């Protein structure tokens, strides 16, 4: 009976762990759906007309696509540059805005190459290696963000000499997947050879 109870509990835990990724994705979908619904209700509340509401969403989509196209093509958009100029003169808000923008740009595909580089550093002691995102470089110094598992948005920032890092073949997406999966999603055996 004790073995049977253990087997049932084991199967229950395996079932929970199998369903967790589905629940997380559903929660994200529900969150996005709720935000879009709230926005739709807000716009519809002003006009009380479905056609007008759909037109507002279509025009918004076109405007955001145009802004994205200009940024990809020219690297900036005049309205965002004007907003940057204004926010830059407001204490406290300018720091929050600048840092938020840099972090988002680090993960976006149109940012500069070094901010999308992944390296390994020895941490917390010699012989133990962790992946880190290169966020900045100055002379022989690297500024690195070392994310923690399983949440890659938490972590810490360090400055290290370039001789203390090993370059990785992983891109940001692969490194993030490695961190979120606590190492389960890692099939780069040549990466491991570099570290030994």
């Amino acid at each position: 009976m004790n073995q049977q109870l253990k087997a049932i509990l084991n199967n229950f835990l395996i079932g929970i762990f199998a369903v967790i990724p589905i629940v997380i994705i559903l929660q994200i979908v529900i969150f996005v759906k709720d935000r879009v619904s709230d926005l739709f209700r807000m716009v519809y509340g002003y006009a009380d007309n479905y056609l007008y509401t759909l037109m507002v969403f279509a025009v918004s989509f076109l405007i955001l696509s145009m802004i994205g196209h200009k940024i990809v093509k020219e690297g900036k958009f005049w309205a965002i540059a004007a907003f940057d100029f204004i926010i830059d003169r407001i204490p406290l808000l300018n720091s929050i805005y600048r840092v938020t923008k840099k972090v988002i740009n680090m993960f976006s595909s149109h940012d500069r190459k070094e901010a999308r580089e992944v390296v390994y550093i020895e941490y917390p002691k010699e012989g133990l290696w962790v992946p880190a995102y290169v966020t900045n470089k100055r002379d022989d110094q690297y500024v690195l963000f070392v994310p923690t598992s399983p949440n890659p948005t938490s972590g810490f920032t360090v400055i290290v000499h370039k001789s203390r890092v090993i370059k990785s073949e992983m891109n940001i997406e692969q490194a993030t997947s490695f961190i979120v999966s606590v190492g389960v999603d890692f099939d780069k055996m040549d990466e491991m050879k570099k570290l030994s």
Side-chain angles (χ1 to χ4, degrees):
M1 183 66 181
N2 197 16
Q3 284 294 92
Q4 226 174 2
L5 186 61
K6 269 185 170 176
I8 290 170
L9 285 174
N10 190 40
N11 291 341
F12 176 73
L13 286 174
I14 290 170
I16 285 177
F17 289 133
V19 170
I20 284 175
I22 296 168
V23 170
I24 291 171
I25 293 300
L26 287 176
Q27 287 296 320
I28 292 170
V29 168
I30 290 167
F31 176 79
V32 170
K33 180 198 77 76
D34 288 347
R35 297 301 70 80
V36 170
S37 295
D38 291 347
L39 189 61
F40 189 86
R41 274 194 291 276
M42 186 181 82
V43 172
Y44 182 76
Y46 285 116
D48 200 20
N49 183 326
Y50 283 113
L51 181 62
Y52 175 78
T53 305
L54 289 174
M55 282 177 47
V56 166
F57 275 87
V59 169
S60 300
F61 178 80
L62 289 173
I63 289 170
L64 290 172
S65 297
M66 183 199 66
I67 290 171
H69 177 73
K70 286 276 191 192
I71 290 171
V72 167
K73 206 168 185 174
E74 300 168 14
K76 62 181 176 180
F77 182 68
W78 67 268
I80 293 176
F83 186 78
D84 290 351
F85 180 80
I86 293 166
I87 289 291
D88 199 35
R89 272 116 187 98
I90 303 172
L92 185 62
L93 280 184
N94 64 358
S95 297
I96 295 167
Y97 178 72
R98 185 173 29 84
V99 169
T100 305
K101 194 170 179 177
K102 283 185 177 182
V103 169
I104 289 170
N105 285 343
M106 183 179 90
F107 288 98
S108 69
S109 59
H110 67 270
D111 200 28
R112 60 191 197 281
K113 183 183 183 301
E114 65 264 14
R116 296 187 50 78
E117 194 176 339
V118 177
V119 297
Y120 295 104
I121 61 167
E122 286 185 297
Y123 178 83
K125 65 178 191 170
E126 201 172 310
L128 299 178
W129 296 91
V130 294
Y133 305 130
V134 178
T135 59
N136 212 337
K137 292 180 186 176
R138 173 117 344 125
D139 301 325
D140 290 344
Q141 302 295 321
Y142 280 31
V143 178
L144 306 174
F145 175 70
V146 182
T148 54
S149 288
N151 179 4
T153 59
S154 69
F156 54 94
T157 306
V158 295
I159 301 171
V160 297
H161 191 270
K162 72 176 182 181
S163 65
R164 307 282 297 172
V165 303
I166 294 178
K167 295 201 185 249
S168 170
E169 298 297 317
M170 286 194 291
N171 59 32
I172 290 267
E173 291 78 19
Q174 291 167 327
T176 303
S177 177
F178 169 74
I179 291 155
V180 169
S181 72
V182 293
V184 173
D185 188 19
F186 187 67
D187 57 358
K188 295 184 167 290
M189 294 315 285
D190 13 321
E191 291 281 300
M192 293 175 94
K193 288 176 189 165
K194 285 181 185 180
L195 305 176
S196 39

